[in-house]
Amino acid sequence: MGAHQMRFDMEQYEQAVFISYAWGGKSEEIVNQIDQALQQRGLKIIRDKRDLGYKGSISAFMERIGQGNCVIVVISDKYLRSPNCMFELVEIAEGKEFQDRVFPIVLGNAEIYDPVKRLQYVKHWEDKLVELDDAMRGVGQANLQGIREEIDQYSRIRDKVSGLTSILKDMNTLTPDMHRDSDFSEIYTGI
């Protein structure tokens, strides 16, 4: 790859808007609407279903989202329980200026506004860690390639989920309907 091509890719990458979401249901519905509304206004939108590519590295793509300058995050209950989605959110949070770069939309089923319900997500990731740890004990140490990394990932998520949901609940994210009614103009203006 020549220097010109690499510079072009980097510029595209820096100007792109990434979308992090859980596949299916209301999340995908609103992502399709955001995608269409923002692309019509000339923004380059990058999302996994279109831009990852067959046999592309999922973890590399998720790390790339984590480094993005603008990331729309569609938070749902499914998102907060998904290893891939939460990996993306932790990657975004560990990058530069989380609150400046993230543009959240919180769906009604994401239980982030009640502290007791937020703790259920911490409990979910603690349970996943215990489950994986128990399963590992039944297998020889030599056969755990890739599994230790999963344990580390679940630990990172468990350690961050409470703080991240607290930050998100404190942001005025507007309701999905408010975003739809304005044709996502608040997000467009923010980006």
Side-chain angles (χ1 to χ4, degrees):
M1 181 185 295
H4 172 73
Q5 181 63 39
M6 215 154 83
R7 190 171 59 251
F8 176 72
D9 288 346
M10 198 59 184
E11 283 169 16
Q12 265 197 328
Y13 166 73
E14 285 172 357
Q15 292 167 6
V17 178
F18 292 86
I19 302 184
S20 177
Y21 66 103
W23 286 12
K26 288 191 187 322
S27 291
E28 190 141 6
E29 190 181 301
I30 199 164
V31 164
N32 290 339
Q33 293 164 358
I34 292 166
D35 194 358
Q36 185 175 5
L38 298 186
Q39 297 251 34
Q40 282 174 350
R41 291 178 172 110
L43 290 179
K44 168 80 174 153
I45 306 296
I46 296 182
R47 58 187 288 196
D48 52 8
K49 279 203 169 172
R50 179 180 52 231
D51 299 297
L52 174 55
Y54 176 58
K55 295 190 354 177
S57 167
I58 294 168
S59 58
F61 186 82
M62 292 190 297
E63 286 170 5
R64 213 172 139 215
I65 286 178
Q67 297 306 310
N69 287 332
C70 291
V71 187
I72 297 168
V73 181
V74 180
I75 302 290
S76 62
D77 181 71
K78 184 178 178 182
Y79 186 102
L80 294 167
R81 297 174 189 275
S82 159
N84 283 355
C85 293
M86 287 303 295
F87 178 80
E88 288 176 1
L89 192 63
V90 169
E91 286 287 313
I92 297 164
E94 290 180 351
K96 52 196 189 271
E97 299 92 25
F98 177 71
Q99 284 169 272
D100 292 342
R101 298 183 306 125
V102 74
F103 296 85
I105 297 177
V106 180
L107 302 188
N109 66 0
E111 302 279 6
I112 67 170
Y113 297 104
D114 176 329
V116 173
K117 291 180 176 169
R118 272 204 323 274
L119 283 170
Q120 289 174 0
Y121 294 116
V122 177
K123 174 95 170 71
H124 170 79
W125 290 104
E126 284 183 351
D127 290 348
K128 294 297 281 181
L129 266 168
V130 169
E131 183 185 347
L132 190 51
D133 194 47
D134 287 348
M136 284 173 64
R137 292 176 202 280
V139 178
Q141 289 296 308
N143 299 311
L144 294 175
Q145 298 89 343
I147 304 297
R148 288 187 196 89
E149 289 79 3
E150 300 272 347
I151 285 262
D152 293 343
Q153 182 178 322
Y154 285 10
S155 295
R156 279 175 74 206
I157 293 168
R158 189 258 337 260
D159 295 346
K160 297 267 186 184
V161 68
S162 181
L164 288 172
T165 52
S166 293
I167 291 168
L168 291 167
K169 86 166 178 66
D170 191 49
M171 295 173 79
N172 181 16
T173 59
L174 307 180
T175 67
D177 286 339
M178 291 165 96
H179 282 292
R180 278 192 200 97
D181 292 346
S182 74
D183 198 28
F184 305 98
S185 62
E186 294 284 343
I187 289 178
Y188 176 75
T189 303
I191 290 168

mmCIF file of all heavy atoms in Angstrom, residues 46-92:
data_model
loop_
_atom_site.group_PDB
_atom_site.id
_atom_site.type_symbol
_atom_site.label_atom_id
_atom_site.label_comp_id
_atom_site.label_asym_id
_atom_site.label_seq_id
_atom_site.Cartn_x
_atom_site.Cartn_y
_atom_site.Cartn_z
ATOM 1 N N ILE A 46 -19.682 3.834 9.372
ATOM 2 C CA ILE A 46 -19.053 2.508 9.347
ATOM 3 C C ILE A 46 -19.768 1.620 10.354
ATOM 4 O O ILE A 46 -19.871 1.950 11.538
ATOM 5 C CB ILE A 46 -17.547 2.605 9.669
ATOM 6 C CG1 ILE A 46 -16.842 3.401 8.571
ATOM 7 C CG2 ILE A 46 -16.931 1.210 9.813
ATOM 8 C CD1 ILE A 46 -15.361 3.539 8.736
ATOM 9 N N ARG A 47 -20.280 0.505 9.868
ATOM 10 C CA ARG A 47 -20.942 -0.477 10.731
ATOM 11 C C ARG A 47 -20.535 -1.878 10.305
ATOM 12 O O ARG A 47 -20.211 -2.120 9.144
ATOM 13 C CB ARG A 47 -22.462 -0.298 10.688
ATOM 14 C CG ARG A 47 -23.052 -0.417 9.312
ATOM 15 C CD ARG A 47 -24.515 -0.069 9.251
ATOM 16 N NE ARG A 47 -25.346 -1.069 9.871
ATOM 17 C CZ ARG A 47 -26.659 -1.143 9.681
ATOM 18 N NH1 ARG A 47 -27.288 -0.261 8.920
ATOM 19 N NH2 ARG A 47 -27.360 -2.085 10.254
ATOM 20 N N ASP A 48 -20.565 -2.779 11.268
ATOM 21 C CA ASP A 48 -20.004 -4.110 11.022
ATOM 22 C C ASP A 48 -20.683 -4.868 9.895
ATOM 23 O O ASP A 48 -20.011 -5.474 9.074
ATOM 24 C CB ASP A 48 -20.002 -4.939 12.317
ATOM 25 C CG ASP A 48 -21.344 -4.979 13.019
ATOM 26 O OD1 ASP A 48 -22.350 -4.498 12.441
ATOM 27 O OD2 ASP A 48 -21.393 -5.479 14.155
ATOM 28 N N LYS A 49 -22.002 -4.844 9.815
ATOM 29 C CA LYS A 49 -22.684 -5.670 8.818
ATOM 30 C C LYS A 49 -22.287 -5.297 7.389
ATOM 31 O O LYS A 49 -22.322 -6.129 6.502
ATOM 32 C CB LYS A 49 -24.202 -5.570 8.983
ATOM 33 C CG LYS A 49 -24.713 -6.468 10.093
ATOM 34 C CD LYS A 49 -26.157 -6.819 9.938
ATOM 35 C CE LYS A 49 -26.524 -7.917 10.924
ATOM 36 N NZ LYS A 49 -27.950 -8.172 10.966
ATOM 37 N N ARG A 50 -21.903 -4.066 7.173
ATOM 38 C CA ARG A 50 -21.528 -3.632 5.823
ATOM 39 C C ARG A 50 -20.022 -3.559 5.647
ATOM 40 O O ARG A 50 -19.492 -3.842 4.587
ATOM 41 C CB ARG A 50 -22.159 -2.259 5.537
ATOM 42 C CG ARG A 50 -21.804 -1.713 4.163
ATOM 43 C CD ARG A 50 -22.433 -0.349 3.895
ATOM 44 N NE ARG A 50 -22.138 0.586 4.957
ATOM 45 C CZ ARG A 50 -23.070 1.312 5.597
ATOM 46 N NH1 ARG A 50 -24.342 1.195 5.280
ATOM 47 N NH2 ARG A 50 -22.720 2.147 6.546
ATOM 48 N N ASP A 51 -19.309 -3.153 6.691
ATOM 49 C CA ASP A 51 -17.905 -2.770 6.527
ATOM 50 C C ASP A 51 -16.890 -3.777 7.081
ATOM 51 O O ASP A 51 -15.708 -3.625 6.826
ATOM 52 C CB ASP A 51 -17.669 -1.393 7.174
ATOM 53 C CG ASP A 51 -18.515 -0.321 6.504
ATOM 54 O OD1 ASP A 51 -18.297 -0.081 5.299
ATOM 55 O OD2 ASP A 51 -19.401 0.249 7.159
ATOM 56 N N LEU A 52 -17.333 -4.764 7.833
ATOM 57 C CA LEU A 52 -16.384 -5.733 8.384
ATOM 58 C C LEU A 52 -15.854 -6.661 7.297
ATOM 59 O O LEU A 52 -14.668 -6.903 7.196
ATOM 60 C CB LEU A 52 -17.030 -6.537 9.517
ATOM 61 C CG LEU A 52 -16.215 -7.696 10.097
ATOM 62 C CD1 LEU A 52 -14.856 -7.221 10.575
ATOM 63 C CD2 LEU A 52 -16.972 -8.361 11.224
ATOM 64 N N GLY A 53 -16.734 -7.159 6.450
ATOM 65 C CA GLY A 53 -16.284 -8.028 5.365
ATOM 66 C C GLY A 53 -16.178 -9.483 5.797
ATOM 67 O O GLY A 53 -15.863 -9.796 6.948
ATOM 68 N N TYR A 54 -16.446 -10.369 4.875
ATOM 69 C CA TYR A 54 -16.378 -11.805 5.119
ATOM 70 C C TYR A 54 -14.981 -12.192 5.597
ATOM 71 O O TYR A 54 -13.981 -11.796 4.999
ATOM 72 C CB TYR A 54 -16.721 -12.545 3.815
ATOM 73 C CG TYR A 54 -16.597 -14.041 3.887
ATOM 74 C CD1 TYR A 54 -17.317 -14.775 4.822
ATOM 75 C CD2 TYR A 54 -15.759 -14.720 3.024
ATOM 76 C CE1 TYR A 54 -17.210 -16.150 4.882
ATOM 77 C CE2 TYR A 54 -15.639 -16.102 3.068
ATOM 78 C CZ TYR A 54 -16.379 -16.813 4.014
ATOM 79 O OH TYR A 54 -16.268 -18.174 4.072
ATOM 80 N N LYS A 55 -14.924 -12.923 6.688
ATOM 81 C CA LYS A 55 -13.692 -13.414 7.293
ATOM 82 C C LYS A 55 -12.800 -12.299 7.858
ATOM 83 O O LYS A 55 -11.656 -12.537 8.215
ATOM 84 C CB LYS A 55 -12.892 -14.279 6.296
ATOM 85 C CG LYS A 55 -13.628 -15.541 5.941
ATOM 86 C CD LYS A 55 -12.881 -16.599 5.173
ATOM 87 C CE LYS A 55 -11.520 -16.316 4.688
ATOM 88 N NZ LYS A 55 -10.889 -17.438 4.014
ATOM 89 N N GLY A 56 -13.331 -11.073 7.927
ATOM 90 C CA GLY A 56 -12.565 -9.990 8.554
ATOM 91 C C GLY A 56 -12.424 -10.248 10.044
ATOM 92 O O GLY A 56 -13.245 -10.958 10.639
ATOM 93 N N SER A 57 -11.407 -9.694 10.651
ATOM 94 C CA SER A 57 -11.177 -9.895 12.083
ATOM 95 C C SER A 57 -12.167 -9.064 12.889
ATOM 96 O O SER A 57 -12.146 -7.828 12.843
ATOM 97 C CB SER A 57 -9.753 -9.483 12.456
ATOM 98 O OG SER A 57 -9.629 -9.395 13.862
ATOM 99 N N ILE A 58 -13.029 -9.741 13.645
ATOM 100 C CA ILE A 58 -14.037 -9.060 14.456
ATOM 101 C C ILE A 58 -13.356 -8.249 15.550
ATOM 102 O O ILE A 58 -13.707 -7.091 15.789
ATOM 103 C CB ILE A 58 -15.032 -10.090 15.053
ATOM 104 C CG1 ILE A 58 -15.836 -10.741 13.921
ATOM 105 C CG2 ILE A 58 -15.963 -9.417 16.064
ATOM 106 C CD1 ILE A 58 -16.627 -11.968 14.335
ATOM 107 N N SER A 59 -12.348 -8.820 16.208
ATOM 108 C CA SER A 59 -11.700 -8.105 17.313
ATOM 109 C C SER A 59 -10.959 -6.865 16.792
ATOM 110 O O SER A 59 -10.987 -5.808 17.424
ATOM 111 C CB SER A 59 -10.767 -9.013 18.110
ATOM 112 O OG SER A 59 -9.775 -9.565 17.285
ATOM 113 N N ALA A 60 -10.327 -6.959 15.626
ATOM 114 C CA ALA A 60 -9.640 -5.795 15.056
ATOM 115 C C ALA A 60 -10.650 -4.705 14.708
ATOM 116 O O ALA A 60 -10.408 -3.514 14.930
ATOM 117 C CB ALA A 60 -8.845 -6.190 13.813
ATOM 118 N N PHE A 61 -11.804 -5.105 14.178
ATOM 119 C CA PHE A 61 -12.850 -4.142 13.848
ATOM 120 C C PHE A 61 -13.359 -3.458 15.114
ATOM 121 O O PHE A 61 -13.553 -2.244 15.140
ATOM 122 C CB PHE A 61 -14.004 -4.849 13.125
ATOM 123 C CG PHE A 61 -15.067 -3.913 12.608
ATOM 124 C CD1 PHE A 61 -14.904 -3.249 11.398
ATOM 125 C CD2 PHE A 61 -16.234 -3.698 13.330
ATOM 126 C CE1 PHE A 61 -15.865 -2.385 10.915
ATOM 127 C CE2 PHE A 61 -17.208 -2.833 12.859
ATOM 128 C CZ PHE A 61 -17.024 -2.175 11.647
ATOM 129 N N MET A 62 -13.545 -4.230 16.193
ATOM 130 C CA MET A 62 -14.032 -3.668 17.450
ATOM 131 C C MET A 62 -13.004 -2.702 18.041
ATOM 132 O O MET A 62 -13.370 -1.660 18.596
ATOM 133 C CB MET A 62 -14.377 -4.781 18.440
ATOM 134 C CG MET A 62 -15.589 -5.594 18.011
ATOM 135 S SD MET A 62 -16.195 -6.743 19.282
ATOM 136 C CE MET A 62 -14.824 -7.843 19.469
ATOM 137 N N GLU A 63 -11.732 -3.037 17.926
ATOM 138 C CA GLU A 63 -10.683 -2.126 18.412
ATOM 139 C C GLU A 63 -10.683 -0.828 17.609
ATOM 140 O O GLU A 63 -10.473 0.255 18.150
ATOM 141 C CB GLU A 63 -9.312 -2.808 18.333
ATOM 142 C CG GLU A 63 -9.131 -3.865 19.415
ATOM 143 C CD GLU A 63 -7.890 -4.714 19.220
ATOM 144 O OE1 GLU A 63 -7.104 -4.427 18.288
ATOM 145 O OE2 GLU A 63 -7.717 -5.671 19.993
ATOM 146 N N ARG A 64 -10.939 -0.951 16.308
ATOM 147 C CA ARG A 64 -11.010 0.220 15.443
ATOM 148 C C ARG A 64 -12.161 1.133 15.863
ATOM 149 O O ARG A 64 -12.017 2.358 15.898
ATOM 150 C CB ARG A 64 -11.210 -0.254 14.004
ATOM 151 C CG ARG A 64 -10.547 0.635 12.983
ATOM 152 C CD ARG A 64 -10.620 -0.013 11.609
ATOM 153 N NE ARG A 64 -10.936 1.017 10.645
ATOM 154 C CZ ARG A 64 -11.680 0.833 9.589
ATOM 155 N NH1 ARG A 64 -12.230 -0.333 9.335
ATOM 156 N NH2 ARG A 64 -11.902 1.819 8.761
ATOM 157 N N ILE A 65 -13.305 0.536 16.194
ATOM 158 C CA ILE A 65 -14.430 1.319 16.701
ATOM 159 C C ILE A 65 -14.010 2.058 17.969
ATOM 160 O O ILE A 65 -14.320 3.233 18.156
ATOM 161 C CB ILE A 65 -15.658 0.419 16.979
ATOM 162 C CG1 ILE A 65 -16.312 -0.006 15.662
ATOM 163 C CG2 ILE A 65 -16.677 1.131 17.869
ATOM 164 C CD1 ILE A 65 -17.494 -0.934 15.809
ATOM 165 N N GLY A 66 -13.275 1.363 18.831
ATOM 166 C CA GLY A 66 -12.824 1.958 20.082
ATOM 167 C C GLY A 66 -11.967 3.190 19.887
ATOM 168 O O GLY A 66 -11.947 4.085 20.735
ATOM 169 N N GLN A 67 -11.261 3.273 18.752
ATOM 170 C CA GLN A 67 -10.389 4.416 18.480
ATOM 171 C C GLN A 67 -11.079 5.513 17.667
ATOM 172 O O GLN A 67 -10.498 6.569 17.443
ATOM 173 C CB GLN A 67 -9.134 3.943 17.726
ATOM 174 C CG GLN A 67 -8.272 2.981 18.520
ATOM 175 C CD GLN A 67 -7.889 3.522 19.882
ATOM 176 O OE1 GLN A 67 -7.407 4.643 19.989
ATOM 177 N NE2 GLN A 67 -8.123 2.751 20.928
ATOM 178 N N GLY A 68 -12.312 5.256 17.236
ATOM 179 C CA GLY A 68 -13.012 6.214 16.382
ATOM 180 C C GLY A 68 -13.231 7.557 17.066
ATOM 181 O O GLY A 68 -13.443 7.623 18.271
ATOM 182 N N ASN A 69 -13.198 8.635 16.281
ATOM 183 C CA ASN A 69 -13.416 9.979 16.832
ATOM 184 C C ASN A 69 -14.885 10.237 17.144
ATOM 185 O O ASN A 69 -15.197 11.038 18.017
ATOM 186 C CB ASN A 69 -12.903 11.042 15.854
ATOM 187 C CG ASN A 69 -11.392 11.084 15.820
ATOM 188 O OD1 ASN A 69 -10.727 10.754 16.796
ATOM 189 N ND2 ASN A 69 -10.829 11.477 14.691
ATOM 190 N N CYS A 70 -15.788 9.587 16.411
ATOM 191 C CA CYS A 70 -17.227 9.708 16.652
ATOM 192 C C CYS A 70 -17.836 8.314 16.634
ATOM 193 O O CYS A 70 -17.702 7.595 15.640
ATOM 194 C CB CYS A 70 -17.896 10.534 15.559
ATOM 195 S SG CYS A 70 -17.443 12.268 15.591
ATOM 196 N N VAL A 71 -18.505 7.944 17.722
ATOM 197 C CA VAL A 71 -19.114 6.621 17.795
ATOM 198 C C VAL A 71 -20.548 6.766 18.306
ATOM 199 O O VAL A 71 -20.774 7.255 19.419
ATOM 200 C CB VAL A 71 -18.339 5.663 18.731
ATOM 201 C CG1 VAL A 71 -18.912 4.247 18.633
ATOM 202 C CG2 VAL A 71 -16.857 5.662 18.424
ATOM 203 N N ILE A 72 -21.510 6.372 17.475
ATOM 204 C CA ILE A 72 -22.910 6.309 17.917
ATOM 205 C C ILE A 72 -23.085 4.961 18.594
ATOM 206 O O ILE A 72 -22.734 3.920 18.021
ATOM 207 C CB ILE A 72 -23.871 6.444 16.721
ATOM 208 C CG1 ILE A 72 -23.694 7.811 16.067
ATOM 209 C CG2 ILE A 72 -25.315 6.241 17.169
ATOM 210 C CD1 ILE A 72 -24.379 7.941 14.719
ATOM 211 N N VAL A 73 -23.592 4.985 19.819
ATOM 212 C CA VAL A 73 -23.758 3.753 20.588
ATOM 213 C C VAL A 73 -25.248 3.584 20.904
ATOM 214 O O VAL A 73 -25.845 4.452 21.537
ATOM 215 C CB VAL A 73 -22.942 3.811 21.905
ATOM 216 C CG1 VAL A 73 -23.108 2.526 22.692
ATOM 217 C CG2 VAL A 73 -21.482 4.064 21.614
ATOM 218 N N VAL A 74 -25.835 2.499 20.414
ATOM 219 C CA VAL A 74 -27.247 2.219 20.675
ATOM 220 C C VAL A 74 -27.301 1.217 21.824
ATOM 221 O O VAL A 74 -27.000 0.032 21.654
ATOM 222 C CB VAL A 74 -27.962 1.694 19.416
ATOM 223 C CG1 VAL A 74 -29.432 1.410 19.715
ATOM 224 C CG2 VAL A 74 -27.833 2.696 18.273
ATOM 225 N N ILE A 75 -27.647 1.729 23.009
ATOM 226 C CA ILE A 75 -27.612 0.932 24.237
ATOM 227 C C ILE A 75 -28.955 0.245 24.448
ATOM 228 O O ILE A 75 -30.001 0.897 24.486
ATOM 229 C CB ILE A 75 -27.303 1.832 25.460
ATOM 230 C CG1 ILE A 75 -25.972 2.571 25.281
ATOM 231 C CG2 ILE A 75 -27.319 1.016 26.746
ATOM 232 C CD1 ILE A 75 -24.750 1.707 25.347
ATOM 233 N N SER A 76 -28.907 -1.072 24.581
ATOM 234 C CA SER A 76 -30.100 -1.869 24.887
ATOM 235 C C SER A 76 -29.710 -2.884 25.958
ATOM 236 O O SER A 76 -28.527 -3.030 26.284
ATOM 237 C CB SER A 76 -30.574 -2.600 23.624
ATOM 238 O OG SER A 76 -29.564 -3.506 23.184
ATOM 239 N N ASP A 77 -30.697 -3.576 26.478
ATOM 240 C CA ASP A 77 -30.403 -4.634 27.441
ATOM 241 C C ASP A 77 -29.494 -5.685 26.802
ATOM 242 O O ASP A 77 -28.515 -6.131 27.403
ATOM 243 C CB ASP A 77 -31.710 -5.276 27.925
ATOM 244 C CG ASP A 77 -31.468 -6.380 28.945
ATOM 245 O OD1 ASP A 77 -31.083 -6.071 30.091
ATOM 246 O OD2 ASP A 77 -31.642 -7.565 28.590
ATOM 247 N N LYS A 78 -29.789 -6.040 25.563
ATOM 248 C CA LYS A 78 -28.986 -7.037 24.842
ATOM 249 C C LYS A 78 -27.549 -6.542 24.680
ATOM 250 O O LYS A 78 -26.592 -7.314 24.811
ATOM 251 C CB LYS A 78 -29.629 -7.309 23.474
ATOM 252 C CG LYS A 78 -28.955 -8.400 22.661
ATOM 253 C CD LYS A 78 -29.719 -8.620 21.352
ATOM 254 C CE LYS A 78 -29.056 -9.669 20.486
ATOM 255 N NZ LYS A 78 -29.766 -9.837 19.194
ATOM 256 N N TYR A 79 -27.367 -5.247 24.397
ATOM 257 C CA TYR A 79 -26.033 -4.650 24.241
ATOM 258 C C TYR A 79 -25.235 -4.829 25.523
ATOM 259 O O TYR A 79 -24.068 -5.241 25.495
ATOM 260 C CB TYR A 79 -26.188 -3.159 23.917
ATOM 261 C CG TYR A 79 -24.894 -2.445 23.584
ATOM 262 C CD1 TYR A 79 -24.571 -2.159 22.259
ATOM 263 C CD2 TYR A 79 -23.999 -2.050 24.574
ATOM 264 C CE1 TYR A 79 -23.386 -1.497 21.936
ATOM 265 C CE2 TYR A 79 -22.818 -1.394 24.253
ATOM 266 C CZ TYR A 79 -22.516 -1.119 22.937
ATOM 267 O OH TYR A 79 -21.345 -0.485 22.624
ATOM 268 N N LEU A 80 -25.852 -4.524 26.660
ATOM 269 C CA LEU A 80 -25.146 -4.543 27.946
ATOM 270 C C LEU A 80 -24.824 -5.961 28.422
ATOM 271 O O LEU A 80 -24.059 -6.138 29.363
ATOM 272 C CB LEU A 80 -25.968 -3.798 29.007
ATOM 273 C CG LEU A 80 -26.101 -2.290 28.742
ATOM 274 C CD1 LEU A 80 -27.177 -1.685 29.631
ATOM 275 C CD2 LEU A 80 -24.773 -1.570 28.932
ATOM 276 N N ARG A 81 -25.393 -6.974 27.756
ATOM 277 C CA ARG A 81 -25.112 -8.379 28.081
ATOM 278 C C ARG A 81 -24.300 -9.074 26.992
ATOM 279 O O ARG A 81 -24.014 -10.265 27.083
ATOM 280 C CB ARG A 81 -26.430 -9.140 28.306
ATOM 281 C CG ARG A 81 -27.228 -8.624 29.498
ATOM 282 C CD ARG A 81 -28.589 -9.300 29.600
ATOM 283 N NE ARG A 81 -29.418 -8.664 30.600
ATOM 284 C CZ ARG A 81 -29.401 -8.942 31.901
ATOM 285 N NH1 ARG A 81 -28.571 -9.879 32.355
ATOM 286 N NH2 ARG A 81 -30.182 -8.314 32.751
ATOM 287 N N SER A 82 -23.919 -8.334 25.947
ATOM 288 C CA SER A 82 -23.207 -8.931 24.817
ATOM 289 C C SER A 82 -21.701 -8.743 24.969
ATOM 290 O O SER A 82 -21.227 -7.613 25.103
ATOM 291 C CB SER A 82 -23.671 -8.258 23.517
ATOM 292 O OG SER A 82 -22.716 -8.442 22.491
ATOM 293 N N PRO A 83 -20.918 -9.824 24.917
ATOM 294 C CA PRO A 83 -19.460 -9.694 25.022
ATOM 295 C C PRO A 83 -18.876 -8.782 23.940
ATOM 296 O O PRO A 83 -18.029 -7.937 24.227
ATOM 297 C CB PRO A 83 -18.943 -11.124 24.867
ATOM 298 C CG PRO A 83 -20.086 -11.998 25.231
ATOM 299 C CD PRO A 83 -21.322 -11.240 24.851
ATOM 300 N N ASN A 84 -19.332 -8.925 22.685
ATOM 301 C CA ASN A 84 -18.782 -8.098 21.609
ATOM 302 C C ASN A 84 -19.137 -6.628 21.789
ATOM 303 O O ASN A 84 -18.282 -5.749 21.648
ATOM 304 C CB ASN A 84 -19.272 -8.589 20.240
ATOM 305 C CG ASN A 84 -18.538 -9.832 19.785
ATOM 306 O OD1 ASN A 84 -17.597 -10.296 20.430
ATOM 307 N ND2 ASN A 84 -18.951 -10.387 18.663
ATOM 308 N N CYS A 85 -20.398 -6.354 22.091
ATOM 309 C CA CYS A 85 -20.817 -4.951 22.267
ATOM 310 C C CYS A 85 -20.087 -4.309 23.439
ATOM 311 O O CYS A 85 -19.590 -3.183 23.336
ATOM 312 C CB CYS A 85 -22.328 -4.870 22.497
ATOM 313 S SG CYS A 85 -23.321 -5.348 21.069
ATOM 314 N N MET A 86 -20.006 -5.028 24.548
ATOM 315 C CA MET A 86 -19.369 -4.449 25.733
ATOM 316 C C MET A 86 -17.865 -4.317 25.537
ATOM 317 O O MET A 86 -17.246 -3.395 26.061
ATOM 318 C CB MET A 86 -19.695 -5.276 26.976
ATOM 319 C CG MET A 86 -21.140 -5.107 27.437
ATOM 320 S SD MET A 86 -21.590 -3.373 27.778
ATOM 321 C CE MET A 86 -20.524 -3.007 29.167
ATOM 322 N N PHE A 87 -17.269 -5.207 24.756
ATOM 323 C CA PHE A 87 -15.856 -5.051 24.402
ATOM 324 C C PHE A 87 -15.672 -3.722 23.662
ATOM 325 O O PHE A 87 -14.752 -2.958 23.945
ATOM 326 C CB PHE A 87 -15.383 -6.225 23.547
ATOM 327 C CG PHE A 87 -13.949 -6.119 23.098
ATOM 328 C CD1 PHE A 87 -12.919 -6.453 23.954
ATOM 329 C CD2 PHE A 87 -13.626 -5.674 21.824
ATOM 330 C CE1 PHE A 87 -11.583 -6.358 23.547
ATOM 331 C CE2 PHE A 87 -12.306 -5.569 21.407
ATOM 332 C CZ PHE A 87 -11.286 -5.913 22.270
ATOM 333 N N GLU A 88 -16.580 -3.440 22.712
ATOM 334 C CA GLU A 88 -16.508 -2.176 21.972
ATOM 335 C C GLU A 88 -16.648 -0.990 22.922
ATOM 336 O O GLU A 88 -15.885 -0.019 22.836
ATOM 337 C CB GLU A 88 -17.607 -2.120 20.911
ATOM 338 C CG GLU A 88 -17.359 -3.042 19.737
ATOM 339 C CD GLU A 88 -18.478 -3.068 18.720
ATOM 340 O OE1 GLU A 88 -19.488 -2.349 18.877
ATOM 341 O OE2 GLU A 88 -18.348 -3.829 17.752
ATOM 342 N N LEU A 89 -17.622 -1.051 23.832
ATOM 343 C CA LEU A 89 -17.856 0.066 24.751
ATOM 344 C C LEU A 89 -16.656 0.305 25.664
ATOM 345 O O LEU A 89 -16.257 1.449 25.892
ATOM 346 C CB LEU A 89 -19.125 -0.177 25.579
ATOM 347 C CG LEU A 89 -19.640 1.032 26.360
ATOM 348 C CD1 LEU A 89 -20.053 2.160 25.424
ATOM 349 C CD2 LEU A 89 -20.809 0.635 27.262
ATOM 350 N N VAL A 90 -16.053 -0.770 26.155
ATOM 351 C CA VAL A 90 -14.864 -0.644 27.009
ATOM 352 C C VAL A 90 -13.701 -0.067 26.197
ATOM 353 O O VAL A 90 -12.965 0.800 26.685
ATOM 354 C CB VAL A 90 -14.495 -2.005 27.655
ATOM 355 C CG1 VAL A 90 -13.125 -1.954 28.315
ATOM 356 C CG2 VAL A 90 -15.559 -2.403 28.678
ATOM 357 N N GLU A 91 -13.546 -0.526 24.953
ATOM 358 C CA GLU A 91 -12.493 0.018 24.084
ATOM 359 C C GLU A 91 -12.699 1.523 23.858
ATOM 360 O O GLU A 91 -11.753 2.300 23.898
ATOM 361 C CB GLU A 91 -12.487 -0.705 22.729
ATOM 362 C CG GLU A 91 -11.913 -2.099 22.769
ATOM 363 C CD GLU A 91 -10.405 -2.122 22.934
ATOM 364 O OE1 GLU A 91 -9.710 -1.382 22.223
ATOM 365 O OE2 GLU A 91 -9.925 -2.880 23.792
ATOM 366 N N ILE A 92 -13.943 1.926 23.638
ATOM 367 C CA ILE A 92 -14.248 3.356 23.447
ATOM 368 C C ILE A 92 -13.900 4.119 24.727
ATOM 369 O O ILE A 92 -13.259 5.166 24.681
ATOM 370 C CB ILE A 92 -15.743 3.554 23.099
ATOM 371 C CG1 ILE A 92 -16.097 2.885 21.777
ATOM 372 C CG2 ILE A 92 -16.075 5.057 23.039
ATOM 373 C CD1 ILE A 92 -17.595 2.694 21.563
#
